[in-house]
Amino acid sequence: MANHVVFFTLVALTLCHLAFAFEPSPLQDFCVADSTSSGIQTFWFSFSNMLYSTRPPKVNGLACKNPMNVQADDFFFSGLNIMGNTSNPVGSEVTPVTVAQLPGLNTLGISMVRIDYAPRGLNPPHTHPRATEILTVLEGSLQVGFVTSNPENRLISKVLQKGDVFVFPVGLVHFQRNVGYGNAVAIAALSSQNPGVITIANAVFGSNPPIAADLLAKAFQVKTSVVDQLQSKF
Ligand SMILES: *[C@@H]1O[C@H](CO)[C@@H](O)[C@H](O)[C@H]1NC(C)=O
């Protein structure tokens, strides 16, 4: 009986770190994401002459590559000099350098993006559920902003010029719009190797399957036909 209590306590302790909102400080130099592993390895341990197996939590989402097999290229990405293709309805393009593009970022709690904006191009309102973002303008002028949480929903907005820096706090809805005459370029760093993106319009009007139009009509206090039109864009 006591054995089982200790066993389940061990399991609970193993799982409890999943509830942490932020990356714990790494306890090793690095944990290069192993693309060949599912991240689910069976781990065996003995306890009171009994052999138990468990599936340990994934290390911040991905299993580590054997450090002996790690190469410089695991910590390397090339291509942020290349302009993103802004020929799309919003006129902006994000080139990400997250753990998906740079496996050495795994567990380090940091990533980077390049954002290109056509004239009047918009990076539409979105949030990063797991990251604060700090952005600097390399070329052009950007109107940027974020909205505070309920009930104030205060818009905090500013026009940035080349060299200016702005921070979007974790989880808050934010946007950037090119208000200059030419193209604009920004580089941003994010406080997660896997920041995630929720684009508000796509999530609300472009979900799969769609949210019921009458539900959204009530939420937005408009006619269902307005919701139908919005949903048809996605
Ligand atoms: C940019 O994207 C548009 C729309 O998807 C596509 O038609 C066009 O070929 C792309 N241009 C380049 C240079 O890749």
Side-chain angles (χ1 to χ4, degrees):
M1 188 53 151
N3 283 354
H4 285 111
V5 171
V6 176
F7 172 70
F8 287 117
T9 304
L10 278 174
V11 170
L13 286 172
T14 309
L15 295 175
C16 76
H17 89 267
L18 294 175
F20 291 167
F22 294 93
E23 310 287 352
S25 297
L27 298 175
Q28 65 280 310
D29 283 353
F30 49 74
C31 166
V32 171
D34 185 355
S35 58
T36 65
S37 164
S38 66
I40 302 170
Q41 298 152 323
T42 303
F43 173 69
W44 294 89
F45 64 96
S46 66
F47 186 79
S48 293
N49 299 325
M50 293 279 288
L51 193 61
Y52 294 97
S53 80
T54 185
R55 291 182 157 201
K58 292 184 276 183
V59 179
N60 303 103
L62 296 161
C64 310
K65 197 170 171 177
N66 180 342
M68 300 303 288
N69 299 333
V70 161
Q71 305 293 333
D73 278 352
D74 290 318
F75 301 93
F76 173 80
F77 174 90
S78 181
L80 277 199
N81 58 318
I82 298 165
M83 184 184 170
N85 183 351
T86 58
S87 299
N88 56 56
V90 290
S92 79
E93 181 76 1
V94 176
T95 306
V97 188
T98 68
V99 69
Q101 292 78 31
L102 204 168
L105 287 175
N106 198 36
T107 73
L108 297 183
I110 197 165
S111 58
M112 182 177 265
V113 295
R114 170 180 171 140
I115 315 169
D116 286 280
Y117 312 82
R120 319 312 289 186
L122 171 71
N123 186 10
H126 63 278
T127 115
H128 303 291
R130 293 178 287 278
T132 289
E133 173 175 350
I134 184 167
L135 174 146
T136 188
V137 180
L138 298 188
E139 284 301 335
S141 306
L142 294 179
Q143 182 201 1
V144 302
F146 66 83
V147 179
T148 68
S149 56
N150 299 355
E152 292 81 10
N153 296 139
R154 178 178 166 208
L155 172 64
I156 295 179
S157 182
K158 192 166 174 67
V159 173
L160 306 183
Q161 309 297 341
K162 184 172 176 169
D164 292 349
V165 177
F166 200 81
V167 63
F168 305 105
V170 58
L172 300 188
V173 174
H174 61 280
F175 58 83
Q176 305 102 34
R177 177 167 64 165
N178 181 358
V179 290
Y181 294 103
N183 292 326
V185 186
I187 293 279
L190 298 115
S191 61
S192 167
Q193 70 270 12
N194 184 22
V197 189
I198 301 168
T199 304
I200 307 305
N202 301 57
V204 175
F205 298 108
S207 69
N208 182 22
I211 300 175
D214 65 321
L215 186 160
L216 292 177
K218 189 158 193 156
F220 287 86
Q221 297 286 291
V222 295
K223 293 193 175 79
T224 305
S225 60
V226 174
V227 173
D228 291 338
Q229 189 193 356
L230 287 165
Q231 288 181 324
S232 72
K233 304 288 180 190
F234 297 94

